[in-house]
Amino acid sequence: MRVSKRLEQLYAIGGGPGANRPHGRAEEDAAHEFAGGWMKEAGLAVEVDQSGNLLGRSPVGADVWVGSHLDTVPRGGRFDGALGVVAGIEAVERVGCGAVVVFRGEEVGCIGSRALVVRGGPLPRAFLELHIEQGPVLERAGAPVGVVTSIVGYARGELLFEGRAGHAGTTPMDVRDDALVAAAEAILQVREAAVRIDGAVATVGQLAVEPGGSNVIPERVRISVDARAPHARRLDELIAAIGFEPVHRTPPSAMAEEPRRILLEEIVSRGLPAIELPSGAGHDAGILAAAGVPSAMLFVRSLNGGLSHSPDELSSEEDIELAVDVLADALRRLASAA
Ligand code: GLV
Ligand code: MN
Ligand code: MN
């Protein structure tokens, strides 16, 4: 299948293990080069906006967009983002209408889609994002695809701890001011804060220790904080409980009624179960939705228990083929409804 072949080409860019195309590096650019080439092969008019987002327009209904992102987390999976781009090109080429977009820097705070909505556009009339589920719901339900109801609200930032550097062998324990010990306590509090709020999750995924010698008491530590909750009020509570100042923050966003209904109708008309589910991952569709663009997401079943942000992330060729079909027909309907 052409989709799988293209996913392999993208996966090979970073050299492995896993997909390695971090935002702002040559690997993300190389992936955009591939996508731009495929768009041209499909006869689309290709543009790059001032944030580096890529848009391939067909001559008809190009104000309805499909797409996703090509940057990845370190050691990410084959499908996260890339599937929505490759499937989007396929869908636009097949139906001969709409446009496909590739956003920059989704994994580091949806930089490209945020820049687009802050600039004020031009924004699409509707946006559809196909994405691997990244969770176990569809696999458990025995359903190949599902439609997203809403996207989680999330906030990212960091906490800084300052102590005093000193000799690891000669400084008695009772006079130390160890920044990493303070950070370790805070990390446990981040976890506790999330556990106490219904539906909330919080993660410390980065830790930077200075000066970083194994025989030096840590003087300065920076930890990242990623905090998420399905309701705005609970996200506020979580941020307050952790006690950090978000660098950016995205409210929970509901998907739009019309494109959601069209996706569901396309699923049901194929004799498949009508599964609707919330997204615990952030997506560019959430940024567009928050800016007032009617947006919807089609999830493809994740195998391997829903493992994602991991090289073991997996969806089957059959499920992907079906999802591309649903996406293409939904795009056709949306783009022809002027
Ligand atoms: C995007 O993958 C996210 O962090 O939710
Ligand atoms: Mn991701
Ligand atoms: Mn993604």
Side-chain angles (χ1 to χ4, degrees), residues 69 73 80 106-107 131 134 152 154 156 226 228 280-283 309:
H69 62 98
V73 295
D80 180 356
E106 189 274 348
E107 299 289 3
H131 205 280
Q134 310 180 274
V152 73
Y154 61 99
R156 290 190 191 167
D226 177 306
R228 306 185 187 211
H283 296 287
H309 284 182

Side-chain angles (χ1 to χ4, degrees), residues 159-164 176-190 207 217-223:
L159 287 171
L160 275 169
F161 301 87
E162 310 263 4
R164 199 173 56 248
R176 291 180 182 216
D177 185 3
D178 184 328
L180 186 52
V181 170
E185 282 165 5
I187 291 170
L188 295 175
Q189 280 162 18
V190 167
L207 181 73
I217 296 166
E219 178 163 43
R220 215 177 130 82
V221 174
R222 183 183 59 77
I223 64 172

